[in-house]
Amino acid sequence: MSKDGKMLYNLLLEYASGGTLADLKKRSGGCGLPESDVKRHKSLFLKKTKKRKLDCSIAGTAFYMAPETLIDNIQEFPSDIWAPGCMVFEMFTGKSLWGSNPNETTEKACERIADIYELPKIPSWISKDGKDFLKGCLVKNHQFRFTIEMLLIHPFVSGTDDTKSSEFGEIVE
């Protein structure tokens, strides 16, 4: 619980023995992953869990933070939906949603991202379900973003096959 009495939550990620998203991008030649692999990997970060009280402050990686978190220091349930959208976009395209500059400080990256008014275009070759999933996660106004319940029943998520491997290595859940 925060000092002002608001409930705070952490997004917890599992260890993935196949490596990081950056490793997968390298092995794919930086071009992004096939949609079947994106659908399998997204299940590592979309899990329904019980809400717990935690004493923490807003933290995270700038390139995956929701606009309202960067601009107004707001961290609410819809803010947690932004990061999976960023990760799925990156898996599809092989590029960060906001681009990256290895010489840029985190503070400068936050300022740059906060000043961007338009989201990058979703590539036309992504399936209808994939585009809809991204559009539901990457809504700049957090009040209109999908909820976790909506994501869990979304065809892009619920239609995942149960294969536990990909051309880039085994997926451990």
Side-chain angles (χ1 to χ4, degrees), residues 33-59:
L33 305 175
E35 185 158 338
S36 59
D37 287 345
V38 172
K39 289 175 80 170
R40 283 191 294 258
H41 288 292
K42 62 86 188 85
S43 66
L44 294 171
F45 53 82
L46 282 179
K47 304 237 178 201
K48 202 171 199 175
T49 59
K50 291 185 177 181
K51 297 174 187 170
R52 302 182 311 163
K53 290 183 183 182
L54 297 170
D55 187 10
C56 62
S57 60
I58 293 174

Side-chain angles (χ1 to χ4, degrees), residues 70-162:
L70 286 170
I71 297 166
D72 299 318
N73 207 31
I74 294 172
Q75 180 69 38
E76 298 175 338
F77 291 118
S79 307
D80 292 334
I81 301 303
W82 185 268
C86 290
M87 289 184 267
V88 168
F89 181 91
E90 194 167 336
M91 283 191 277
F92 270 128
T93 65
K95 298 176 183 153
S96 166
L97 182 69
W98 302 118
S100 61
N101 176 346
N103 300 318
E104 187 174 49
T105 65
T106 300
E107 185 177 317
K108 287 290 182 195
C110 288
E111 289 173 12
R112 179 175 59 81
I113 293 166
D115 287 339
I116 295 173
Y117 294 102
E118 283 196 38
L119 294 171
K121 298 269 187 250
I122 296 173
S124 60
W125 49 263
I126 295 174
S127 73
K128 180 180 176 282
D129 287 343
K131 285 181 199 170
D132 189 62
F133 177 89
L134 287 170
K135 287 177 182 177
C137 292
L138 301 175
V139 177
K140 285 196 95 169
N141 183 336
H142 65 283
Q143 296 174 337
F144 299 111
R145 224 170 271 148
F146 280 176
T147 64
I148 188 65
E149 291 79 13
M150 293 166 78
L151 288 182
L152 290 171
I153 62 168
H154 192 279
F156 184 74
V157 175
S158 62
T160 303
D161 67 25
D162 293 323

Side-chain angles (χ1 to χ4, degrees), residues 1-3 6 8-10 53-59:
M1 179 117 18
S2 71
K3 292 178 186 175
K6 292 184 179 175
L8 300 174
Y9 298 88
N10 270 345
K53 290 183 183 182
L54 297 170
D55 187 10
C56 62
S57 60
I58 293 174

